[in-house]
Amino acid sequence: MPDKFQNFINGKWVDAKSGRTFENRNPAHWDEVIGVFPKSAKEDVDEAVKAARSAYEKWRLVPAPARGDIMRKIGDLLVKNKEELAHEMTREMGKVLEETRGDVQEGIDTAYYAATEGRRLFGHTVPSELPNKFAMAIRVPVGVAAIITPWNFPMAIPTWGIFPAVLSGNTVVFKPASDTPKTATTLIRIMMEAGIPEGVVNLVHGGGGEVGNAIVVHPDVDLILFTGSTDVGKQISRQASATLKRVSLELGGKNAQIVMDDADLDLALDGVLWGAFGTTGQRCTATSRLILHDKIYDAFMAMLVDRTKKLRLGDGLLPTTDVGPCINEAQRNVVQSYIEIGKKEWARLVYGGNIAVQGDLAKGWFHEPTIFDNVKPNMRIAQEEIFGPVLSVIRMASLEEAINIINGTIYGLSSSIYTRDVNKAFVAIRDIKAGITYINVPTIGAEAHLPFGGVKQTGNGHREGGWAVYDFFTEWKAVYVDYSGKLQRAQIDNY
Ligand code: NAD
């Protein structure tokens, strides 16, 4: 019998009120059931929001440094359980162990950052325009925060939302992706062990259409931090506007790596292999376009295909595996559909292109790493997020052309340029329209203490990570203290 898991509402583990459940399976061995989880609905969301609202009135009064102490304990527990967690996550969502270790580490970094933020949460004191009057602006919590997350970073992304939300004094309703409910459950257990009080963090499992939607339209949810696809993000934005919720959207990308003719080609090659095929291409920051300078195009393509051929597909728990499976059958079918689209657009399939079915691979959702070249910037495979191990290679003859190509999609998350010319690097930093620009680094590899997010249809202007996310989870309150003992009228009595 597979293990059975529950929601966590008001400090108690509970089934969905309807009693319905869903199964979660290992994408590398789809006959292996990871567990059975509650298929929740609106009535479960209502309970979770009620619990979060009632806990908020106490939690907001706990001093931020004390909230930070709990964050430090969470970080310590994540360190203690890192290896076990990484194994569990690889089994649940497929990426290779060293990547799931990195995913946990990002949670650890975020916990320790939040711990120290408890002693900062800086406000401003400014002079008043009137005598004997004091003026300051302080950060206050907002209320009940919903955290809705995707499956590709099942630890890091929930922690980016939940830890700063809670540190800031908000309470949380957390809806994880239904492909990674087990990691979410373990995260909640760790938070409870560290001393998070009842009702402060609530977990509701289930599908986006049902649970996610019930959260988004709930009148008593104040904030939504959503990380996921652009289509769902747009829908959430529309629906949340009915109750004027504050919404942070971190959405899709069509990230590119530029390689100039003066680049260190070996370094650029390591970068693009890691950026395009790490996490099986299923990162919001994955390199899905490679923009190659004409002068090094043929040489670089030969190196790229040669190294891609050596990548080994398999179960991420095996030390021999470089590339794991796609998350599920539907996603693998999306990847396959883009292979057909690329062929119809007359891009040249230079490597891969198939579902992988050799030996044990037949029991998982594996797809070969795939490279198209002769790709034109306006083709669908160069414009649309595929979210799989597919790289589209585009030729260019100048930095200006490369930057036009990189900017020519609806997205603007991550970007990268390989060059030895510092002048070109700074032009790229200035002119690329993206939330992140890497110089001689692939498009992946964000650090937890810097702002993370994108421009254009990658988001709505908020940032996760570092100090920036605290702007989302707090409101500014302006405070004036007049100690003159008389009525002083701003803009009037002093002019
Ligand atoms: P998704 O949009 O399908 O789902 C994300 C989450 O939203 C899940 O928990 C899902 O159940 C929920 N959801 C789905 N429909 C909903 C609805 N109508 N209302 C409320 N919630 C709903 O995305 P996914 O397939 O889980 O993840 C892949 C996508 O996430 C890619 O587009 C990727 O680029 C993006 N992503 C972005 C970032 C970033 O920080 N920019 C990070 C990781 C992933």
Side-chain angles (χ1 to χ4, degrees):
M1 280 288 280
D3 291 340
K4 191 167 173 264
F5 297 86
Q6 293 176 298
N7 290 330
F8 188 73
I9 298 176
N10 208 15
K12 291 180 190 60
W13 294 100
V14 291
D15 292 331
K17 280 184 186 283
S18 67
R20 293 182 306 162
T21 57
F22 68 94
E23 271 181 2
N24 182 29
R25 288 171 181 259
N26 180 343
H29 303 278
W30 42 254
D31 49 1
E32 186 185 322
V33 179
I34 306 272
V36 174
F37 294 83
K39 193 169 182 193
S40 315
K42 181 183 175 306
E43 64 258 30
D44 305 295
V45 170
D46 288 346
E47 288 295 308
V49 175
K50 205 164 109 197
R53 175 59 61 195
S54 136
Y56 174 67
E57 289 309 327
K58 278 195 192 154
W59 182 244
R60 72 186 176 88
L61 300 177
V62 173
R67 300 195 291 251
D69 288 343
I70 300 179
M71 286 297 144
R72 188 170 305 102
K73 285 185 198 140
I74 295 170
D76 293 346
L77 286 168
L78 287 171
V79 170
K80 194 170 139 206
N81 292 288
K82 181 173 172 179
E83 199 54 31
E84 199 185 320
L85 269 164
H87 275 79
E88 183 177 299
M89 287 157 65
T90 293
R91 227 182 118 219
E92 182 166 49
M93 56 72 70
K95 67 187 174 188
V96 298
L97 258 185
E98 67 174 0
E99 293 189 41
T100 42
R101 285 188 192 114
D103 197 329
V104 181
Q105 186 58 46
E106 221 164 312
I108 294 167
D109 298 342
T110 303
Y112 289 145
Y113 190 101
T116 59
E117 191 61 30
R119 290 187 182 270
R120 284 190 299 265
L121 280 180
F122 290 139
H124 298 279
T125 56
V126 293
S128 164
E129 65 184 43
L130 291 158
N132 298 324
K133 193 173 170 194
F134 187 88
M136 62 186 165
I138 58 172
R139 289 178 185 275
V140 294
V142 187
V144 174
I147 311 291
I148 304 177
T149 56
W151 48 267
N152 63 337
F153 280 83
M155 179 61 68
I157 293 180
T159 65
W160 288 357
I162 297 172
F163 294 174
V166 166
L167 185 281
S168 303
N170 306 288
T171 53
V172 164
V173 176
F174 170 32
K175 200 225 74 76
S178 43
D179 283 305
T180 48
K182 175 118 190 261
T183 309
T185 304
T186 310
L187 174 61
I188 295 297
R189 287 200 174 124
I190 284 175
M191 294 185 77
M192 293 310 121
E193 192 182 335
I196 292 281
E198 283 180 5
V200 170
V201 178
N202 303 275
L203 167 71
V204 188
H205 291 291
E210 220 167 346
V211 176
N213 190 60
I215 290 173
V216 171
V217 300
H218 200 295
D220 212 19
V221 169
D222 302 295
L223 296 170
I224 302 171
L225 185 108
F226 171 79
T227 311
S229 58
T230 293
D231 283 349
V232 174
K234 285 179 183 172
Q235 188 183 329
I236 288 177
S237 182
R238 280 192 297 270
Q239 289 179 316
S241 69
T243 43
L244 290 181
K245 291 180 176 47
R246 185 187 285 203
V247 181
S248 165
L249 302 171
E250 293 298 344
L251 311 173
K254 190 68 187 174
N255 317 289
Q257 175 178 318
I258 296 172
V259 183
M260 297 306 296
D261 53 340
D262 59 19
D264 176 337
L265 296 190
D266 292 319
L267 186 66
L269 180 62
D270 285 342
V272 70
L273 286 165
W274 177 227
F277 302 125
T279 321
T280 320
Q282 302 172 115
R283 288 192 185 215
C284 51
T285 52
T287 310
S288 58
R289 296 178 295 158
L290 174 65
I291 305 173
L292 277 185
H293 197 285
D294 200 31
K295 284 192 191 149
I296 47 97
Y297 191 96
D298 292 339
F300 197 84
M301 281 305 294
M303 290 161 68
L304 175 64
V305 172
D306 183 51
R307 280 279 296 280
T308 306
K309 278 183 186 160
K310 296 187 177 120
L311 294 174
R312 294 159 301 180
L313 275 176
D315 182 340
L317 289 174
L318 300 174
T320 46
T321 299
D322 298 307
V323 181
C326 297
I327 185 66
N328 52 37
E329 186 176 19
Q331 187 52 33
R332 190 180 65 175
N333 292 344
V334 168
V335 173
Q336 256 303 290
S337 73
Y338 273 100
I339 306 294
E340 295 312 313
I341 289 168
K343 287 182 191 164
K344 281 200 189 112
E345 290 179 310
W346 294 103
R348 190 164 61 123
L349 181 65
V350 287
Y351 185 71
N354 303 301
I355 286 174
V357 290
Q358 307 88 324
D360 280 352
L361 298 183
K363 289 201 164 170
W365 309 121
F366 292 94
H367 195 283
E368 292 172 350
T370 297
I371 303 171
F372 278 106
D373 87 342
N374 283 348
V375 176
K376 301 285 171 263
N378 58 353
M379 289 180 178
R380 285 184 63 190
I381 57 168
Q383 288 287 325
E384 297 173 16
E385 184 180 50
I386 300 173
F387 224 59
V390 182
L391 181 66
S392 298
V393 187
I394 304 172
R395 192 187 286 263
M396 54 81 182
S398 69
L399 179 63
E400 194 188 3
E401 188 184 353
I403 291 175
N404 279 337
I405 294 169
I406 220 171
N407 288 343
T409 75
I410 60 165
Y411 298 107
L413 182 52
S414 186
S415 56
S416 150
I417 179 167
Y418 281 74
T419 177
R420 287 190 172 104
D421 182 336
V422 68
N423 296 351
K424 291 198 175 92
F426 271 88
V427 169
I429 293 168
R430 188 192 63 196
D431 291 344
I432 290 177
K433 296 189 178 110
I436 310 168
T437 295
Y438 292 98
I439 310 299
N440 296 326
V441 185
T443 60
I444 64 179
E447 299 179 27
H449 58 298
L450 273 83
F452 182 91
V455 303
K456 299 196 278 182
Q457 293 191 29
T458 289
N460 62 346
H462 292 288
R463 290 290 180 273
E464 296 181 359
W467 64 92
V469 73
Y470 290 89
D471 289 335
F472 180 70
F473 284 118
T474 55
E475 307 254 32
W476 284 112
K477 174 176 267 192
V479 181
Y480 302 91
V481 183
D482 191 320
Y483 53 98
S484 68
K486 58 182 183 196
L487 173 66
Q488 299 197 85
R489 297 171 301 171
Q491 295 95 37
I492 297 171
D493 289 341
N494 52 344
Y495 292 107

